[in-house]
Amino acid sequence: MEYLKVIAFTHKQIELKELGKLVICQENLTYRLRAVKERFAINEIFYLATCNRVEFVMASKQPLSREFAETFLAAMHVGLCPHVTKTFLDAASIYEGREALVHLLRTSCSLESLVVGEKEILAQLRKAYEDCREAGLTGDKLRLVMECVVKAAKEVYTHTNISRNPISVVSLAYRKLKDLKLCSNARILIIGAGETNRNISKYLQKHKFSNFAVFNRTLSKAQQLAADLNGEAFEIADLANYHKGFDAIITCTSAVEPIITPEIYTSLLNGETGKKTIVDLAIPNDTAPEVLEQFDVNFIEVHSLNEVAKKNLQERYHELVHAEAIIEQNIAEYGVMLKQRKIELAMRQVPEKIKEIRNNAVNTVFADEVQGLDEESRAVLEKVINYMEKKYISVPMIMAKDILINS
């Protein structure tokens, strides 16, 4: 597994507000990943960005170092000045080989999350991989890694209590929102129709909130979420012209620049002067700092959930031992699977070679003898040859796997 490499920027070393500077716009992501893949001769790569981490996972013979990470980050055109880039690189975690696999397994099981026990990270990790797989950026190596990652996470969530009474960033945000005691007919603007907003919408719907307007860059996705909520759907550009007022804004998009500017916020107020609420779960924040300076706002963001997350970790600490044991077992199984895969790849030409020998024997070496057989005898010979062919293919494969694994 020496080919597996990870460059990780996480909430453990970097402030969440700063972490948003590393987020890459989805529109440019595939193009940039293809460019660095080719430039650095990286075999496979995928990119993960959540509310508390940005990671690059790759299969490559290229040795990882701080110098490589610096060149790589510059090639991704994140748009950071040299001083900020150095700050991020000093805080980056670089993993190779077994350490990289351990990190990915711990991440998928939420052991590395801001909120230990939340299950959203597994879905986010799978989606990040699938997006890059569909774009042709990954192959067999990362496929095997992801199979191990998903299996381990499912076992941890199934066989430990780490996710009992699950607390995710979304549920923590909703609890804070609930504490503000909004009435059920409160006017709620939802900006972004991604997974995070869909999840928090489920909480709102469950607790009988019913007045929604959904804004999204792609109107069709806004319409899908709005249909689930019995609300209205708009494009994000329509925010500037929306004059029905609001009581709360819930926003989480992949935008790299603020969406809720003072001008937009003033327009959305439509003359109202009461204190409003913003739940901003985007990294970087969708809300411009000037909005918070100029207006009286109940502001809920990922960063403010830190203390609750720390308490959550303490409550679930005794489950970590069980989770770690499951991870170690899966790493051992992955090692065996890798050896088996090497055998499969090394011997994938065996069936073709055996078929060539069979055809040569029947059609050339013993052609005259075979032609001299009656129909019934040929049928028996065909059965014998087919049986022998299958055994000559399967037996060496099984024996080779056993020898390699036991050694």
Side-chain angles (χ1 to χ4, degrees), residues 13 16 20 26 44 56 65 78 104 116 122 135 143 146 170 191 249 254 271 285 300 302 305 314 323 328 336 349 404:
Q13 290 85 22
L16 292 175
Q26 287 295 322
E44 306 173 31
F56 298 92
S65 64
V78 179
L104 289 175
V116 174
L122 178 57
R143 177 185 65 81
M146 284 303 299
V170 167
I191 304 175
I249 295 175
S254 59
N285 283 348
I300 300 170
V302 174
L305 304 174
Q314 292 170 358
E328 285 300 318
V336 173
Q349 292 185 342
L404 184 58

Side-chain angles (χ1 to χ4, degrees), residues 97-134:
R98 190 180 192 279
E99 285 188 356
L101 183 61
V102 170
H103 169 73
L104 289 175
L105 264 62
R106 287 179 57 85
T107 299
S108 72
C109 300
S110 82
L111 303 191
E112 299 290 331
S113 293
L114 180 65
V115 182
V116 174
E118 58 94 3
K119 294 183 179 180
E120 290 172 32
I121 182 59
L122 178 57
Q124 292 166 331
L125 190 54
R126 291 177 77 171
K127 186 178 186 304
Y129 166 75
E130 285 297 327
D131 287 347
C132 289
R133 183 189 65 79
E134 290 174 4

Side-chain angles (χ1 to χ4, degrees), residues 287-322:
T287 309
E290 294 79 8
V291 171
L292 308 180
E293 294 169 1
Q294 298 175 23
F295 300 92
D296 189 14
V297 177
N298 293 314
F299 189 60
I300 300 170
E301 60 171 338
V302 174
H303 182 72
S304 67
L305 304 174
N306 244 327
E307 290 306 314
V308 184
K310 289 178 183 177
K311 182 181 178 183
N312 170 260
L313 177 59
Q314 292 170 358
E315 291 173 350
R316 296 169 189 246
Y317 185 77
H318 64 282
E319 290 297 320
L320 298 184
V321 176
H322 304 304

Side-chain angles (χ1 to χ4, degrees), residues 175-188:
R175 288 185 185 186
K176 284 206 166 191
L177 181 62
K178 187 178 178 183
D179 289 342
L180 297 175
K181 302 188 184 307
L182 291 176
C183 60
S184 59
N185 66 343
R187 300 161 297 173
I188 300 175

Side-chain angles (χ1 to χ4, degrees), residues 6-108:
V6 178
I7 303 174
F9 306 90
T10 77
H11 64 97
K12 292 189 174 184
Q13 290 85 22
I14 302 170
E15 287 288 330
L16 292 175
K17 291 181 178 179
E18 294 298 308
L19 198 57
K21 295 177 180 177
L22 289 170
V23 174
I24 300 169
C25 177
Q26 287 295 322
E27 291 180 352
N28 303 320
L29 180 58
T30 300
Y31 169 78
R32 295 188 191 182
L33 289 175
R34 280 193 183 126
V36 296
K37 185 173 181 286
E38 182 177 350
R39 174 176 173 180
F40 298 106
I42 296 170
N43 300 104
E44 306 173 31
I45 189 170
F46 75 88
Y47 163 87
L48 170 69
T50 74
C51 61
N52 53 49
R53 67 183 60 252
V54 170
E55 304 197 11
F56 298 92
V57 181
M58 58 192 85
S60 174
K61 294 180 180 180
Q62 171 75 46
L64 279 193
S65 64
R66 298 285 165 179
E67 292 72 25
F68 171 80
E70 182 176 5
T71 308
F72 177 89
L73 203 60
M76 285 299 300
H77 300 293
V78 179
L80 303 175
C81 68
H83 174 72
V84 175
T85 299
K86 183 179 184 305
T87 301
F88 277 120
L89 289 170
D90 289 343
S93 297
I94 294 177
Y95 305 96
E96 296 189 74
R98 190 180 192 279
E99 285 188 356
L101 183 61
V102 170
H103 169 73
L104 289 175
L105 264 62
R106 287 179 57 85
T107 299
S108 72

Side-chain angles (χ1 to χ4, degrees), residues 161 163-167 175 312 316:
N161 291 322
S163 60
R164 177 179 289 180
N165 299 321
I167 301 176
R175 288 185 185 186
N312 170 260
R316 296 169 189 246

